[in-house]
Amino acid sequence: MTTGLFVEQSLNGLQLGVMLFLVTAGLTLVFGIMDFINLAHGSLFMFGAFLAATFVKITGIFWLALILAVLATGLIGFVMEFLVLRRFYHRSHLDQVLLTFGFILVFNDITRIIWGSIPLPMPLPEILSMPVQIMPGVMYPSFRIAILVLGLIVALCLFLIIERTRLGMWIRAGASDRQMTSALGVNVGLVFTLVFAAGAALAALAGIMSGPISAVQIGMGEPILILALVVTVIGGIGSVKGALIAAIMIGMVDTFGRVMFPPAISSILIYLLMVLILAFRPRGLFPANV
Amino acid sequence: MTLSSVRQLVVPNWPVLLIFVLLALAPVWSMYGGSDFTIRLLTRALILALAAVGLNFVLGFGGLVSLMHASFFGVGAYTVAILAHHDFNGDTLFGLPGTSNLLVSGPAAVFLALVFAVATGALVLRTKGAYFIMMTLALNQMLFFFMIALQQYGGEDGMQIYLPLHLSGYEFGSDSAIYYTVLIVLAFFVFLLSRLVCSRFGNVIRASSENEERLTAIGISPFHYKLVAFTISGAVTAVAGVLWAISQEYVSPADLSWIRSADLVVIAVLGGLVRVWGPLVGALVFVLAEYFLSDITVYWQLVFGLGIIAVVVLFPGGMLSVWATIRKINWGRAHDA
Amino acid sequence: MTLNEKIEKEPVLRLAGLTKRFGGIIATDHLDFDVRAGEIHGLIGPNGAGKSTLVAQIQGNLRPDEGSIIFEGRDITVEAPHRRAKLGVARSFQITSVFMGFTMLANVMMAVQAQAGHSMWFWKNTSMDSSLIDPAMELLELVGLTRSAQALAQNVSYGERRQLELAMALAMKPKLLLLDEPMAGMGRQDGGRMISLLETLKGRYSILLVEHDMDAVFTLSDRISVLVAGRCIATGSPEKIKSDAGVRDAYLGHKST
Amino acid sequence: MKLTTSAAAIALLFAVTGATADTVKIGFISTMSGPLGGTGNEASDGFKLFLDQNDGKMGGAEVEMHWEDDQAKPDVSRQAADKLISEDVDIFTGIIFSNVLLSSIKPILDSGAFYISNNAAPSQIAGKLCDQNFFAVSHQNDQLYEGLGVYMQEMNFDNVYLMAPNYPAGKDMMAGFKRHFQGKIAGEVYTAFGQLDYSAEIAQVRAAAPSTVVFFYPGGMGINFVKQYQQSGLMGEIPVYTGSHGIDQSILPAVGDAAIGVNSGAIWSEFGDNEANRVFVEGFEKAYGRIPSPYAAMAYDTARVIDAALTEVGGSIEDRDAFRTALETMDFSSIRGNFKFNTNHMPIMDYYMTVVEKDAQGRLVNALKSKVASDLEDGYVSECKISG
Amino acid sequence: MSAFFEIKNLEAGYGNSKVLFDVSLKIAEGEFVTLMGRNGMGKSTTIRSIMGILKPTAGEIYHDGTRIDGLASHKIAKRGIGFVPEGRHIFPNLSVRENLLMAQIKRGSANEWDVDSVFDFFPRLAERMSNGGDQLSGGEQQMLAIGRALMTNPYLLILDEATEGLAPIIRDEIWDQLGKLKAMGVSILIVDKELDALSELADHHFIIEKGEIVWQGDNQALMSNPAIHEKFLGV
């Protein structure tokens, strides 16, 4: 492997990792803070992509569509949490799995009713349509660089909000002792609803950013959901830092695994990695103190 | 058997006995008015029920949410299919000839499932809660992708079983014969596991799902018990896989996808986890609802999904609790806060 | 061997130079300490003095960094918790810890079964197994819970659950009973009942009693040790401890009795 | 098939006496839901179009359609097949995916019904396990790439890089290509089935610097691959080729402008110059408001084959042998040009090359470039021994 | 003195079991009031009802003339009722400073509590400012729980089992600080078992028995009536 190719593949791994982080961030937050397993997270990812594709078609402006789709999916998350999910925080993980499995079926068919079963087009934004030269002989798609930058900005923002703001303190306090937090004057119900809506918005953001590089189709959320769950548990449930590191690890291992091993091995490599890590660290790399 | 022991067996178990009697009569009904297809549909439901009964032993009683039971199902089905495949081709596997005799391939399938369950159980049972769920999901995915990549056994295409499977010469002549075989095997395992959950071993399993720390403190290390339970559970589900191979004469990686694992969990939960036979109710509801809904509308998954959501929201104990919940409403008692 | 000879020869439990650190904090600091056969040994000290850490090390949930734990002359420092339980170290928990979904009777039966050691039995229905039911009912009677034997543990009062804990600990025929704040969360009435219950056990079991309720500790204990910052600052009879100046400064204060 | 219960015997009796001479029951099992549901809907639309154009009749017979969704799951398809068998369906068709077909084909053929494939035809069924009642109107799987191999061999391509998912159809397609292409293979990469990201493989392609990339990525995988390939900037440097159905109308709109310039082989083209094809394409666009894909075209052609064979036997399928002989011997003109069934009941057909362009209305289409092979046979015909 | 906090005929319970049958009590501004009784008599249930953690089934609760029963917990806290729960409930995943800061409610008057003034009040906490909540001793946790409640700048401070499980020497320190709070004019409602200490601080006592207030009176009345101690408190 030449240096140029190595750099390019490393970038590919990093970019895939950051993409996975975008999907996982919302999932791990909701999982860690509300102790809620949301299998329908993949559906929100799908909604993000479908809504953005539709808004792009209407407005013709990618970035405007992005903002609209993120807001719309956040609103969907808000309504879901407010109407149904909040009743399930104290229920068993099993009930949550079942409930959100039901949501996957419902959301897939709703998508089919609204958009039909043929995949939707989603062009690149004009400004990011050309690859750029990052070093002699290495061209790299500029949109993927945008994903990389956006993902890292999101990671930084999440870190600052959770660790440095009063909202972050309320979130952490609410996660560890909901009743007490409430008795100190914090509207925990609202905070949780916002966290869920933010998680949904992040899933949508990931879906939108993956739209121009992959198929916008029904069921697109399911394979990505499994990857996100893998990242969540490797990183440690509820840990944003863990999610970032685990996501990049998975991105790297998957990318180099695909190049270096036959497909029979490379397709199970990330699961193998997860099994190994959990065998030695049963609560993931960074067990969150929640 | 004394009269009182008969009463003891029948009285508390009348719902499940009634269900089994009705199921045993189904082929008669199908003869006069129904169709052959009814029997095939019920066979499918009963096989899935058996798989979920196996799962429910660790899920409902051990509190272990396993998303890898499709892989036990697949090990059972694939073992039979692969041995039959070599029998058909007339070649050998690791120097041994293939066989279509279920008296050989059936036990072989269960044995492989036991080995697989011990090996994977030793790994996954180190983790708890959501980590356990994910660990099992990962193992399921690994076997799934492995089977897809395994081209000599059909890969993603799966494998057709061309020669008739038989029990040392006795062939299943009809769909009804397969149906009754499945029904008897299911009844056998429901009875077996019903005894098991009330035994000392069953007590340890239920206690481990209640409070592991306490169990350790009274001198029982739950790990080995959970491993034995996990292995029994996996083997029962593998038996369902063997029956699947008999009934479908075809196996494919789709039979061991994580979606199938999730289906089994849904079946168990829909039926209610607190009874060994709960999954039987769940499987009948699941298969019949899927069949009739998909006949009515192409958007049947929407209806089915809403149904699942409604059950989880309204009846936290599964379908078995519907009756109890209705009674509660009639008596006008306030629900606990 | 008579009881008296046993006491002189070897205590039931002996800790030698036991040390446990968490990061930079020393929770147990070169602790030497023993529990004699048949005595109730009270262990008191301010919160954070390392009492719970100590109990966890004796029970086996925590592994000490240094030192050894000798139980009946046998070194159990690295033994797994369930092995220690088998040997006869029984613990009742600081926070009630029972099988909430089981009946009171089933809880005690579980402990009887664990003690009997036949848990890989797959066939016999335990709900008709008198070799489990009879001893369990006896123990429930001993702790005064006969009436609620069929109640689910999650539906009984806090005080009753603590009594249940004690019954489960006794079901294990323990040679050493670790009682971790048995009085916590109990009102005076329930607490009084627990004290008289423990008094009936006096002399029959060797007990390490960790407790904040000074009335209980001073009433029940044969000897008391005071733990401060991971060290034992005093051991002796209740009278001696009450009048110990060091203990008053560090723990009891001067206002209280 | 052994039928021992009297119930089955009664059912069979009923079937023989109940069916009137001018009703034909056709079971159409296809993938209507899930991520792959687009293909099944295309196919059923194509089949329906023919029925709509012919007042619901085929060869003079009333057609009773039974539609079933297989969800792309083998066991669901098997269940649907069981149901239709018990309803005494005469002709089965519709299945898109090989694994779905394989799970159900044995009981269907055992029941004495015909399977006339509009899409899937894996190598087993073309060769060793061929059956007198199995016909493929569409193609044998390998054929989708065989014509491409012929073309590239004739045009003296060299240093070609092959990419496909690691599953039987992927291997079949590449095997079909290599059966006719003798030039240098620069690399052969099989990726995980259902893979989302191809950036690593694309980087390897750039490093290997081949003259051409030949890929097989059906459905969503194709959308992912073509978009990502175009974004990497390689589209202008290293041209890509795919076989028939590689970049068809079921995914072309979703890929968008990124697909412009993708070359593909074709067993049918919407620009095919014959009357039947014009009736189909114009009818389809009018009825559904979109350009038909090969899935729709093959289903439509399958309907036409059934129609032609039924016409031959006077609208009754009661005499199965006569119907089979009609299929084998009839003179049929396909919407793709030359067509007849081989001895293994796979098609003998022509092959074309197309390239993705924008048409006058600004829509993306596979513009017809040339016919590259005539009377192309599949590679398994010699293995098949159909005993009459 | 007008009642600035009042409970009228409160009833409450869990599921089908009723715990409170008839609880009525009044607290005047600046008063130090105790709620005593044996375990299981309804002290904690009363307090949980006041805080909105448990929804009363009947009766009324007024604060400053406004009815507050049935309000969500956080709204009751916002109105100025500070809560120090049984078991302390420190957030283990927040630092000491964050435990305080998260609870801050500004009410716009002078001399409000903030992080610095709480640290002045409990100097031990200042030393452990950046430690996690799970790294504190029991006494420190209790101080933090009180400090945290003070951060909401409450008009009424409610303490449930404020000294349980603490070393006697630490208890004395807590009692001293509560005395100072009283002197600052904070109204206090406290549940505790330590009669000696309470008798030095309290203005008024309520005794609850089987979900009903069975006795009330001032300090002198309580101390001069040993029969009460015996009957209701089990002393």
Side-chain angles (χ1 to χ4, degrees):
Chain A
M1 205 179 268
T2 63
T3 319
L5 186 56
F6 180 77
V7 170
E8 189 176 351
Q9 296 295 32
S10 304
L11 265 179
N12 283 332
L14 194 64
Q15 181 270 324
L16 179 61
V18 166
M19 187 77 211
L20 282 176
F21 168 75
L22 276 179
V23 191
T24 310
L27 186 73
T28 198
L29 277 180
V30 168
F31 204 158
I33 291 165
M34 281 93 103
D35 195 25
F36 183 82
I37 303 184
N38 179 24
L39 293 189
H41 194 72
S43 301
L44 297 165
F45 174 89
M46 174 177 75
F47 278 153
F50 271 84
L51 287 168
T54 309
F55 290 136
V56 167
K57 200 172 167 193
I58 297 169
T59 66
I61 306 164
F62 180 86
W63 303 107
L64 180 62
L66 182 143
I67 292 167
L68 289 175
V70 165
L71 290 177
T73 316
L75 189 66
I76 293 171
F78 186 92
V79 173
M80 261 174 90
E81 201 277 348
F82 193 77
L83 291 184
V84 185
L85 303 189
R86 55 169 51 193
R87 293 154 216 268
F88 278 78
Y89 292 152
H90 66 279
R91 297 270 288 270
S92 71
H93 280 160
L94 189 57
D95 283 353
Q96 297 168 358
V97 164
L98 207 65
L99 176 79
T100 50
F101 187 76
F103 268 112
I104 292 181
L105 298 181
V106 170
F107 285 158
N108 275 348
D109 261 2
I110 288 179
T111 310
R112 194 146 66 101
I113 290 169
I114 299 176
W115 284 285
S117 47
I118 298 204
L120 296 193
M122 175 117 173
L124 284 175
E126 197 60 40
I127 179 175
L128 297 173
S129 61
M130 297 310 284
V132 291
Q133 184 155 6
I134 45 169
M135 61 183 274
V138 180
M139 300 289 281
Y140 203 73
S142 47
F143 188 71
R144 287 182 184 251
I145 294 177
I147 292 176
L148 201 63
V149 173
L150 188 71
L152 294 174
I153 290 174
V154 167
L156 186 69
C157 289
L158 279 181
F159 175 81
L160 289 177
I161 288 171
I162 290 170
E163 295 297 327
R164 296 278 185 273
T165 66
R166 275 190 93 201
L167 177 64
M169 289 175 209
W170 291 342
I171 291 172
R172 281 180 287 147
S176 81
D177 191 336
R178 179 173 182 157
Q179 220 163 53
M180 190 61 225
T181 310
S182 193
L184 287 165
V186 179
N187 188 346
V188 183
L190 182 65
V191 170
F192 279 12
T193 308
L194 289 178
V195 168
F196 191 87
L202 280 173
L205 181 63
I208 297 161
M209 293 310 276
S210 79
I213 57 176
S214 60
V216 178
Q217 61 179 354
I218 292 165
M220 66 189 282
E222 276 121 72
I224 209 86
L225 166 78
I226 295 197
L227 290 177
L229 286 168
V230 168
V231 170
T232 301
V233 295
I234 290 184
I237 291 167
S239 164
V240 172
K241 181 172 87 177
L244 182 62
I245 290 170
I248 290 174
M249 212 159 96
I250 292 269
M252 287 291 183
V253 167
D254 188 53
T255 300
F256 282 96
R258 269 151 50 200
V259 175
M260 283 153 56
F261 295 106
I265 295 175
S266 65
S267 58
I268 62 171
L269 209 56
I270 53 171
Y271 301 108
L272 206 59
L273 178 75
M274 169 176 149
V275 167
L276 282 177
I277 288 176
L278 287 192
F280 291 100
R281 299 191 64 127
R283 295 182 61 225
L285 292 175
F286 298 92
N289 195 6
V290 172
Chain B
M1 207 182 242
T2 64
L3 191 66
S4 78
S5 69
V6 170
R7 279 171 60 93
Q8 243 170 25
L9 190 67
V10 172
V11 173
N13 296 316
W14 68 266
V16 64
L17 292 173
L18 181 68
I19 293 172
F20 270 110
V21 167
L22 288 177
L23 286 172
L25 292 175
V28 181
W29 170 75
S30 86
M31 202 182 291
Y32 301 99
S35 81
D36 237 20
F37 173 65
T38 319
I39 297 303
R40 299 250 349 135
L41 193 66
L42 285 176
T43 305
R44 179 164 185 246
L46 295 190
I47 294 174
L48 290 177
L50 179 59
V53 163
L55 166 69
N56 195 37
F57 183 55
V58 287
L59 176 67
F61 298 95
L64 299 167
V65 184
S66 159
L67 281 181
M68 69 175 292
H69 266 59
S71 58
F72 297 123
F73 191 77
V75 166
Y78 259 100
T79 307
V80 169
I82 287 173
L83 287 172
H85 172 78
H86 286 286
D87 191 25
F88 178 66
N89 284 353
D91 54 5
T92 59
L93 171 69
F94 305 123
L96 297 168
T99 177
S100 301
N101 186 351
L102 287 165
L103 289 184
V104 178
S105 56
V110 173
F111 175 74
L112 271 180
L114 288 173
V115 172
F116 184 63
V118 170
T120 53
L123 211 55
V124 295
L125 290 170
R126 287 171 200 284
T127 54
K128 296 199 172 30
Y131 293 97
F132 178 84
I133 301 179
M134 291 312 301
M135 194 82 157
T136 50
L137 177 63
L139 282 167
N140 200 96
Q141 287 284 85
M142 281 163 72
L143 192 69
F144 174 72
F145 281 117
F146 180 75
M147 290 319 296
I148 283 188
L150 205 62
Q151 303 280 341
Q152 62 264 48
Y153 298 123
E156 222 243 348
D157 276 358
M159 318 167 61
Q160 181 74 51
I161 298 172
Y162 293 105
L163 294 179
L165 295 167
H166 58 90
L167 295 160
S168 281
Y170 170 76
E171 285 179 25
F172 300 94
S174 66
D175 289 337
S176 302
I178 294 178
Y179 175 77
Y180 279 118
T181 309
V182 172
L183 188 64
I184 289 165
V185 172
L186 176 66
F188 171 73
F189 279 109
V190 166
F191 177 65
L192 197 76
L193 290 178
S194 302
R195 292 302 300 245
L196 203 53
V197 296
C198 294
S199 71
R200 290 190 177 197
F201 176 77
N203 282 355
V204 175
I205 294 306
R206 285 187 296 131
S208 79
S209 86
E210 288 269 337
N211 191 339
E212 278 202 14
E213 198 190 357
R214 191 61 174 117
L215 198 57
T216 311
I218 58 174
I220 294 177
S221 163
F223 181 78
H224 294 99
Y225 295 89
K226 287 195 326 197
L227 187 57
V228 172
F230 191 72
T231 308
I232 292 172
S233 159
V236 174
T237 302
V239 170
V242 171
L243 295 172
W244 185 257
I246 296 171
S247 143
Q248 302 272 318
E249 299 174 298
Y250 172 83
V251 298
S252 83
D255 292 329
L256 48 91
S257 73
W258 81 273
I259 297 284
R260 168 63 48 80
S261 285
D263 284 349
L264 294 180
V265 172
V266 170
I267 286 171
V269 177
L270 277 184
L273 301 167
V274 294
R275 295 268 181 278
V276 168
W277 50 272
L280 175 56
V281 177
L284 288 171
V285 170
F286 185 90
V287 169
L288 295 180
E290 182 186 62
Y291 172 71
F292 285 112
L293 287 176
S294 64
D295 233 22
I296 295 166
T297 166
V298 286
Y299 299 114
W300 66 273
Q301 294 201 339
L302 178 73
V303 184
F304 196 66
L306 287 173
I308 292 179
I309 293 171
V311 170
V312 192
V313 171
L314 300 175
F315 310 111
M319 305 292 280
L320 284 181
S321 75
V322 171
W323 176 236
T325 309
I326 289 168
R327 280 203 310 197
K328 221 182 238 173
I329 292 168
N330 283 351
W331 289 357
R333 274 200 205 151
H335 202 273
D336 285 10
Chain C
M1 213 190 303
T2 68
L3 192 63
N4 279 336
E5 279 169 343
K6 220 173 170 180
I7 293 168
E8 279 159 26
K9 279 208 142 163
E10 179 69 46
V12 174
L13 178 77
R14 190 156 58 79
L15 309 178
L18 205 68
T19 303
K20 179 76 195 171
R21 298 183 188 86
F22 296 107
I25 302 163
I26 298 193
T28 312
D29 190 1
H30 297 92
L31 190 66
D32 298 315
F33 178 86
D34 62 37
V35 178
R36 294 174 191 157
E39 77 168 344
I40 294 184
H41 192 132
L43 185 64
I44 60 174
N47 274 64
K51 298 189 300 288
S52 295
T53 317
L54 180 61
V55 171
Q57 287 175 86
I58 298 171
Q59 194 221 349
N61 276 352
L62 279 177
R63 174 95 31 110
D65 298 322
E66 287 168 36
S68 53
I69 304 169
I70 313 290
F71 177 67
E72 294 202 306
R74 169 177 180 166
D75 189 337
I76 59 160
T77 317
V78 295
E79 208 72 79
H82 72 278
R83 291 280 313 141
R84 299 184 197 208
K86 282 272 186 204
L87 291 169
V89 181
R91 174 186 184 181
S92 89
F93 285 75
Q94 188 171 18
I95 301 154
T96 52
S97 168
V98 295
F99 304 115
M100 289 289 192
F102 283 27
T103 63
M104 305 289 266
L105 178 62
N107 265 285
V108 184
M109 279 166 68
M110 193 69 235
V112 174
Q113 174 188 333
Q115 210 279 326
H118 301 293
S119 289
M120 279 290 180
W121 287 7
F122 295 98
W123 195 249
K124 196 173 178 184
N125 191 336
T126 52
S127 66
M128 300 173 218
D129 185 346
S130 59
S131 68
L132 295 180
I133 296 172
D134 295 349
M137 282 309 293
E138 260 171 49
L139 285 160
L140 285 176
E141 197 184 336
L142 178 68
V143 297
L145 288 175
T146 319
R147 273 191 313 135
S148 43
Q150 294 302 335
L152 287 182
Q154 65 197 5
N155 293 339
V156 303
S157 75
Y158 184 80
E160 283 180 302
R161 280 209 284 271
R162 302 240 51 152
Q163 282 163 272
L164 175 62
E165 282 242 319
L166 190 61
M168 288 171 77
L170 294 177
M172 296 163 62
K173 299 184 181 155
K175 293 171 181 139
L176 174 67
L177 203 50
L178 302 174
L179 296 181
D180 204 348
E181 303 200 18
M183 244 57 78
M186 284 200 182
R188 283 180 186 273
Q189 211 172 35
D190 288 347
R193 221 173 35 229
M194 183 61 95
I195 289 177
S196 44
L197 181 58
L198 291 177
E199 259 173 343
T200 64
L201 304 179
K202 201 164 173 166
R204 291 160 65 187
Y205 295 94
S206 315
I207 296 174
L208 180 63
L209 172 69
V210 179
E211 188 48 65
H212 271 300
D213 186 323
M214 290 307 124
D215 288 348
V217 175
F218 284 98
T219 312
L220 288 168
S221 302
D222 298 302
R223 287 194 301 157
I224 294 173
S225 291
V226 185
L227 208 61
V228 174
R231 287 169 175 275
C232 184
I233 60 166
T235 299
S237 66
E239 293 69 32
K240 192 180 149 211
I241 294 298
K242 249 183 218 172
S243 55
D244 188 303
V247 175
R248 292 192 82 92
D249 284 343
Y251 183 60
L252 292 177
H254 296 271
K255 273 193 226 168
S256 326
T257 37
Chain D
M1 185 161 122
K2 300 179 188 66
L3 294 167
T4 56
T5 68
S6 53
I10 290 167
L12 199 68
L13 198 68
F14 184 76
V16 174
T17 56
T20 54
D22 53 357
T23 301
V24 173
K25 292 186 182 175
I26 297 180
F28 196 99
I29 303 172
S30 200
T31 305
M32 310 289 191
S33 58
L36 302 164
T39 51
N41 283 308
E42 273 287 300
S44 61
D45 283 350
F47 205 91
K48 268 184 206 144
L49 179 67
F50 181 86
L51 289 171
D52 292 346
Q53 288 174 339
N54 294 281
D55 303 322
K57 287 188 178 171
M58 283 182 174
E62 268 319 314
V63 174
E64 184 184 315
M65 289 300 295
H66 296 252
W67 305 96
E68 293 287 335
D69 176 15
D70 64 33
Q71 307 171 35
K73 290 178 186 164
D75 61 314
V76 176
S77 157
R78 171 70 197 270
Q79 181 176 310
D82 285 334
K83 182 186 170 204
L84 297 186
I85 290 167
S86 78
E87 288 164 3
D88 305 305
V89 161
D90 303 299
I91 299 171
F92 286 78
T93 184
I95 297 177
I96 303 291
F97 299 100
S98 298
N99 59 338
V100 176
L101 177 78
L102 285 167
S103 75
S104 316
I105 194 64
K106 189 165 178 261
I108 289 174
L109 296 175
D110 282 350
S111 78
F114 286 87
Y115 191 91
I116 302 180
S117 180
N118 60 318
N119 196 65
S123 50
Q124 303 92 303
I125 291 179
K128 232 163 58 173
L129 300 168
C130 61
D131 188 283
Q132 56 171 358
N133 283 356
F134 186 99
F135 289 81
V137 175
S138 48
H139 52 79
Q140 195 283 316
N141 285 1
D142 303 18
Q143 282 179 308
L144 296 178
Y145 278 74
E146 289 188 352
L148 185 64
V150 170
Y151 170 75
M152 288 187 140
Q153 179 63 25
E154 275 174 9
M155 304 301 279
N156 289 320
F157 276 70
D158 201 24
N159 214 23
V160 174
Y161 199 91
L162 307 183
M163 296 180 74
N166 186 43
Y167 78 126
K171 297 261 165 117
D172 281 357
M173 301 295 173
M174 291 302 131
F177 176 79
K178 287 189 284 184
R179 194 166 292 135
H180 299 277
F181 178 75
Q182 312 298 332
K184 186 181 165 216
I185 306 284
E188 194 170 346
V189 168
Y190 293 96
T191 51
F193 185 75
Q195 189 165 312
L196 301 170
D197 185 79
Y198 294 90
S199 56
E201 289 79 4
I202 291 167
Q204 296 298 111
V205 169
R206 193 198 303 273
S211 73
T212 319
V213 170
V214 171
F215 72 89
F216 165 64
Y217 282 119
M221 284 185 274
I223 301 175
N224 298 346
F225 176 77
V226 175
K227 277 184 173 182
Q228 292 169 22
Y229 192 84
Q230 191 271 342
Q231 287 161 18
S232 74
L234 276 183
M235 196 65 105
E237 295 172 25
I238 306 171
V240 289
Y241 283 76
T242 178
S244 189
H245 298 48
I247 185 98
D248 64 67
Q249 286 294 342
S250 69
I251 66 166
L252 199 47
V255 178
D257 291 352
I260 291 173
V262 174
N263 303 284
S264 83
I267 58 173
W268 162 86
S269 164
E270 60 258 43
F271 302 103
D273 189 21
N274 64 64
E275 183 53 31
N277 198 37
R278 275 189 289 274
V279 171
F280 165 60
V281 175
E282 281 162 20
F284 193 94
E285 287 201 41
K286 200 166 151 232
Y288 305 109
R290 61 177 193 269
I291 305 168
S293 71
Y295 296 102
M298 291 305 107
Y300 185 82
D301 224 12
T302 302
R304 293 181 68 252
V305 164
I306 298 170
D307 172 62
L310 280 173
T311 308
E312 198 90 352
V313 295
S316 168
I317 198 170
E318 284 316 299
D319 185 346
R320 303 265 148 137
D321 293 333
F323 184 69
R324 184 181 317 112
T325 310
L327 282 167
E328 284 169 346
T329 59
M330 69 189 180
D331 186 23
F332 173 71
S333 78
S334 161
I335 58 170
R336 333 169 226 176
N338 293 333
F339 178 94
K340 67 173 184 255
F341 285 117
N342 210 333
T343 55
N344 62 345
H345 297 172
M346 296 293 132
I348 299 172
M349 59 186 172
D350 299 343
Y351 202 87
Y352 309 91
M353 285 304 298
T354 64
V355 65
V356 176
E357 290 175 0
K358 277 196 171 159
D359 71 359
Q361 299 163 50
R363 301 181 302 181
L364 291 166
V365 292
N366 279 295
L368 188 60
K369 279 205 312 195
S370 61
K371 180 170 167 182
V372 296
S374 296
D375 298 332
L376 195 67
E377 280 193 328
D378 69 282
Y380 301 94
V381 65
S382 60
E383 293 173 25
C384 167
K385 306 273 177 288
I386 288 182
S387 51
Chain E
M1 229 192 283
S2 78
F4 113 112
F5 185 86
E6 182 169 14
I7 299 178
K8 286 182 184 165
N9 311 102
L10 192 69
E11 291 177 24
Y14 303 90
N16 292 332
S17 73
K18 206 165 165 185
V19 178
L20 300 185
F21 294 88
D22 184 10
V23 173
S24 299
L25 59 80
K26 276 186 187 177
I27 302 168
E29 201 157 0
E31 241 186 344
F32 192 116
V33 171
T34 74
L35 182 60
M36 291 190 285
R38 285 180 299 202
N39 264 60
M41 290 300 158
K43 295 175 307 223
S44 284
T45 307
T46 306
I47 283 179
R48 290 164 70 85
S49 303
I50 297 173
M51 288 316 298
I53 295 167
L54 189 69
K55 213 170 145 65
T57 48
E60 291 141 40
I61 304 174
Y62 291 93
H63 171 242
D64 233 356
T66 313
R67 212 173 145 173
I68 62 164
D69 56 278
L71 287 184
S73 205
H74 65 271
K75 287 188 178 149
I76 293 171
K78 280 256 160 76
R79 288 195 57 87
I81 299 179
F83 181 42
V84 181
E86 183 180 10
R88 307 183 276 263
H89 290 260
I90 295 303
F91 302 113
N93 51 343
L94 270 64
S95 71
V96 168
R97 194 166 176 280
E98 286 175 333
N99 262 287
L100 294 174
L101 211 52
M102 64 77 59
Q104 185 164 40
I105 298 173
K106 291 184 176 140
R107 300 192 191 275
S109 63
N111 295 328
E112 291 208 329
W113 289 98
D114 59 19
V115 175
D116 291 333
S117 53
V118 170
F119 283 153
D120 286 343
F121 195 66
F122 292 118
R124 273 172 188 250
L125 292 181
E127 293 164 22
R128 317 215 59 174
M129 185 157 74
S130 45
N131 282 49
D134 51 353
Q135 295 168 329
L136 302 183
S137 72
E140 287 163 344
Q141 283 190 16
Q142 189 62 56
M143 292 170 194
L144 181 54
I146 296 171
R148 189 177 59 181
L150 291 175
M151 288 295 286
T152 67
N153 288 299
Y155 304 119
L156 171 66
L157 185 62
I158 299 182
L159 301 100
D160 195 359
E161 302 288 5
T163 61
E164 195 195 21
L166 297 182
I169 198 163
I170 305 286
R171 292 184 190 186
D172 296 343
E173 206 174 319
I174 302 267
W175 290 124
D176 287 347
Q177 296 308 90
L178 289 181
K180 280 186 202 158
L181 286 178
K182 183 189 174 187
M184 288 175 196
V186 182
S187 315
I188 292 176
L189 172 64
I190 186 165
V191 168
D192 207 284
K193 295 196 186 75
E194 216 174 316
L195 202 52
D196 294 343
L198 289 174
S199 65
E200 283 177 27
L201 290 168
D203 302 310
H204 201 86
H205 303 279
F206 291 90
I207 293 179
I208 189 168
E209 171 90 4
K210 290 181 183 158
E212 287 180 48
I213 298 291
V214 289
W215 187 92
Q216 60 169 301
D218 64 13
N219 207 16
Q220 201 188 353
L222 180 70
M223 297 319 285
S224 60
N225 195 344
I228 299 271
H229 302 189
E230 179 104 6
K231 191 170 173 201
F232 299 121
L233 306 178
V235 179

